[in-house]
Amino acid sequence: MSGTIPIREGEHLVPDTARVEIDHRLASLKSARSRWEATPVKVRAAMLDQAVADTLAASRDWVEDACRAKGIKTRRPVAGEEWQSGPGLLIRNLRLLARTLRSIESKGHPPVGKISTRPEGTVAVKVFPADVYDRVLFPGISGEVWLEDGVGRDEVFDHMASTYRRPTPSVVGVVLGAGNLASIPPMDAIYKSIVENQVVMVKMNPVNGYLAPHLERSLGVFINAGLLTFIQGGAEIGEYLVSHPDVETIHITGSDNAHHSIVFGPGPEGEARRRERSPRLTKRITSELGNVTPVIVVPGEWSNSDLTYQGRNIAAGVTHNAGYNCIANRVIVNHSGWGLRDRLLESIRSALDATPIRPDYYPGSAERLEAFVAPHDAKATRHGKTGTSGLPWTLIADLGPDDRNCFDTECFSTAFVETALTADTIPAYIDRAVEFCNNRVYGTLGASILVHPDSLKDPEVSEAVDRAIRDLRYGTVAVNLWAAVTYAMVTTPWGAYPGHTLDEIGSGIGVVHNALMFDRPVKAVAKGPFRSFPKPPWFSNNRMSHRTLAALTELDANPGLGKLVKTVVPALFG
């Protein structure tokens, strides 16, 4: 399988950090390792509390700068994306990690919900809702973590928070930050610090290097303690870092192409090393990379309003952040004999037509879109409200399941595809869709299933859906939700399905977020109602998402009834 169309480097709007300064900061981090190892759990929790307060104080300036960089008006609903995927999620992550540390200090283990054992023996741990606020704001949505085979129900706590169960030496880690979502670099850094006991240098991506002052303000308590630092630079600085003798571990967020260039070297020589399974780097490397995210649609008797809702649901997973998400919906899988297939496609197109076109802020997106669509231009339809320069939302429907180009390639732009599979029964179709996603679609980061509750009343369909959740080889499987939901839960691990190797990297190795510190997770499973109320804030037609998500940011920072009411009221009118 291929992966991601190469993405060119962004313009260096912020000067690169001088190498002599990088050397100095790495030496300082190296000297801080023993100090971080000795930092008590109680002190670490207090540092996270301080970071919550500091992030809230930085949040408005942070969001305004992010909106300006992406061509978004701060008083429009779309600005809610920057609240949610920026300071809002960082605050939630910090708060839940602090809660975990306090539970470790008082009980000896992280806080968990119900622990159950599935029929095949897999242990599942409920992790969402995390508190009463989640239950009120996200009714009917649940999340659980499935653990590796061999972990028994009575052994769950033995496979959590290993850093706090046994002595774990601190190491110097480098995080090569992503350029799309603002929360990724700081959340990855905090995970490496709190969960894996690292002292961390974060290299900002040139695309969002402007965010560094806000991130430094948010995480100043770690920076001032000498445990964390942010630097600027592109591929050359990245190359200098990963080869630096003081750097002991590396975390990469980006594309498989970037990963292979870092691990094996660029060009033909690097590709030859990859074929020979001979990496030039011997350091521990973790990663979260691309994914061609599938959405399996289970046929059913859907009403007109069901079709409208699910059309918006699918479209929202494409249009969020202008399509620059590794978990954006990319392949819609339908049953060829479903009588409502064409009407669902019409609903998706209508939702896209009502969604404003966004500025294409990510480098090379127009070229990637053209290369992706060109072989199938006759089947492509283009959508979106005009008025802003940018790229149209592009749907390539009725793509044959044997035409592998679009299933192998993540275009990281505004396009997605639809295909249909034949099967004699709905359960047989579900089984075939799972096989198709596992073996024909690139990546293992996340997948979604859409199924009407009436369809689940059929025992054979219900069993087939449960079997699909079990058998899909993805780090997240979401039912009636966009797979990105587990990114936002934070209590769930975020990363690829286990089993990738450096030479066949797929969607990556290892996990982040994982606020409950599971050592041996296999996948996160999220479930939601077929139609949610209030309207999900990530829907592009939510008129109050900016107000709702700004209020949710304050609620996560300072939980309380007043803040809850302030969040619920705009959510009800979205």
Side-chain angles (χ1 to χ4, degrees):
M1 291 188 176
S2 54
T4 309
I5 299 173
I7 298 173
R8 73 166 184 259
E9 188 164 282
E11 186 179 355
H12 291 232
L13 299 177
V14 181
D16 291 0
T17 305
R19 297 188 183 196
V20 65
E21 177 64 16
I22 292 172
D23 293 343
H24 172 73
R25 295 193 194 184
L26 285 173
S28 179
L29 287 173
K30 189 175 181 179
S31 69
R33 292 176 302 176
S34 59
R35 190 168 68 253
W36 182 231
E37 288 174 17
T39 302
V41 172
K42 184 177 181 179
V43 174
R44 293 184 179 204
M47 293 174 72
L48 291 168
D49 291 341
Q50 183 62 54
V52 166
D54 291 342
T55 302
L56 182 63
S59 62
R60 194 159 297 278
D61 290 341
W62 174 343
V63 169
E64 288 179 357
D65 271 2
C67 287
R68 189 178 302 112
K70 295 181 180 181
I72 295 171
K73 294 181 179 179
T74 57
R75 296 182 183 274
R76 298 298 296 274
V78 70
E81 291 181 3
E82 297 308 317
W83 281 103
Q84 181 183 43
S85 58
L89 279 180
L90 177 57
I91 286 172
R92 178 177 175 85
N93 194 10
L94 295 165
R95 177 174 65 83
L96 292 176
L97 281 171
R99 185 189 71 154
T100 293
L101 291 182
R102 291 195 170 93
S103 180
I104 290 171
E105 185 179 32
S106 62
K107 300 178 181 178
H109 58 75
V112 298
K114 180 182 177 181
I115 301 173
S116 59
T117 304
R118 288 180 43 80
E120 74 276 7
T122 299
V123 172
V125 184
K126 189 170 184 179
V127 300
F128 188 91
D131 52 34
V132 65
Y133 303 104
D134 286 347
R135 285 192 288 273
V136 171
L137 292 169
F138 305 102
I141 295 179
S142 65
E144 58 186 22
V145 176
W146 292 12
L147 306 182
E148 285 182 3
D149 291 344
V151 177
R153 185 170 178 170
D154 297 331
E155 302 171 318
V156 169
F157 295 132
D158 296 333
H159 298 284
M160 299 178 75
S162 61
T163 293
Y164 299 91
R165 284 186 289 105
R166 56 179 178 266
T168 304
S170 181
V171 298
V172 177
V174 159
V175 169
L176 302 178
N180 54 342
L181 293 187
S183 60
I184 294 176
M187 288 172 70
D188 289 353
I190 286 298
Y191 183 80
K192 294 298 178 180
S193 177
I194 298 295
V195 182
E196 297 189 0
N197 216 32
Q198 298 180 18
V199 290
V200 182
M201 174 175 282
V202 180
K203 184 192 78 64
M204 297 298 292
N205 189 301
V207 176
N208 60 6
Y210 65 91
L211 287 172
H214 305 298
L215 305 186
E216 289 168 344
R217 183 179 173 191
S218 296
L219 301 180
V221 63
F222 291 91
I223 294 170
N224 294 337
L227 306 170
L228 172 67
T229 187
F230 289 85
I231 67 163
Q232 301 284 354
E236 289 186 2
I237 293 297
E239 173 68 18
Y240 182 71
L241 277 180
V242 300
S243 304
H244 200 287
D246 287 344
V247 172
E248 297 166 277
T249 72
I250 302 162
H251 181 73
I252 304 165
T253 302
S255 70
D256 57 341
N257 291 306
H259 171 274
H260 293 324
S261 180
I262 291 166
V263 176
F264 296 96
E269 292 183 3
E271 182 57 28
R273 277 192 289 266
R274 187 171 78 88
R275 288 195 301 269
E276 295 165 1
R277 299 182 179 179
S278 179
R280 61 176 183 152
L281 297 177
T282 57
K283 304 172 183 184
R284 178 174 179 257
I285 299 171
T286 57
S287 53
E288 188 263 279
L289 308 174
N291 190 62
V292 179
T293 307
V295 180
I296 298 172
V297 179
V298 177
E301 296 298 322
W302 295 12
S303 67
N304 289 337
S305 56
D306 291 335
L307 290 162
T308 298
Y309 180 92
Q310 293 302 340
R312 290 171 178 163
N313 186 20
I314 291 170
V318 178
T319 61
H320 184 277
N321 198 38
Y324 305 124
N325 288 327
C326 58
I327 198 66
N329 292 334
R330 296 298 183 192
V331 179
I332 313 305
V333 183
N334 271 314
H335 188 302
S336 61
W338 186 35
L340 297 177
R341 175 189 171 197
D342 287 341
R343 290 181 60 191
L344 176 62
L345 291 174
E346 289 173 8
S347 179
I348 295 170
R349 292 186 178 107
S350 294
L352 296 173
D353 283 334
T355 303
I357 290 173
R358 302 271 293 275
D360 48 324
Y361 74 87
Y362 217 90
S365 48
E367 294 89 339
R368 288 193 303 279
L369 179 64
E370 181 179 1
F372 186 82
V373 175
H376 312 284
D377 192 67
K379 294 185 175 182
T381 54
R382 295 165 176 83
H383 307 273
K385 279 186 177 179
T386 57
T388 303
S389 62
L391 303 174
W393 314 116
T394 304
L395 171 61
I396 305 171
D398 199 27
L399 191 68
D402 295 324
D403 190 339
R404 301 189 60 158
N405 175 61
C406 291
F407 308 133
D408 287 355
T409 305
E410 180 190 19
C411 69
F412 208 66
S413 190
T414 57
F416 64 120
V417 305
E418 184 265 356
T419 191
L421 308 176
T422 59
D424 293 336
T425 66
I426 293 176
Y429 157 74
I430 296 171
D431 290 341
R432 188 177 175 201
V434 170
E435 185 275 335
F436 173 79
C437 293
N438 282 344
N439 299 317
R440 304 286 294 279
V441 179
Y442 182 83
T444 65
L445 186 60
S448 296
I449 304 169
L450 301 182
V451 55
H452 196 285
D454 288 346
S455 298
L456 293 173
K457 294 177 182 177
D458 182 330
E460 292 186 354
V461 173
S462 181
E463 289 176 12
V465 169
D466 186 72
R467 192 164 57 244
I469 297 169
R470 181 195 69 195
D471 293 343
L472 281 164
R473 296 194 294 269
Y474 288 85
T476 283
V477 177
V479 180
N480 292 333
L481 297 165
W482 180 23
V485 163
T486 64
Y487 179 98
M489 285 180 176
V490 178
T491 48
T492 44
W494 181 251
Y497 191 79
H500 294 300
T501 59
L502 289 178
D503 58 300
E504 295 293 341
I505 194 60
S507 292
I509 296 172
V511 299
V512 290
H513 303 186
N514 190 24
L516 299 178
M517 305 186 189
F518 290 96
D519 295 341
R520 295 176 61 183
V522 170
K523 65 173 67 173
V525 176
K527 296 181 180 180
F530 189 68
R531 289 168 57 180
S532 291
F533 181 83
K535 184 186 299 179
W538 57 88
F539 273 31
S540 62
N541 71 328
N542 189 311
R543 298 168 298 175
M544 302 293 285
S545 61
H546 56 318
R547 297 182 182 177
T548 301
L549 293 168
L552 180 59
T553 299
E554 293 188 17
L555 173 65
D556 261 319
N558 297 298
L561 181 59
K563 293 288 195 300
L564 178 62
V565 172
K566 186 179 177 181
T567 306
V568 168
V569 170
L572 292 174
F573 292 94

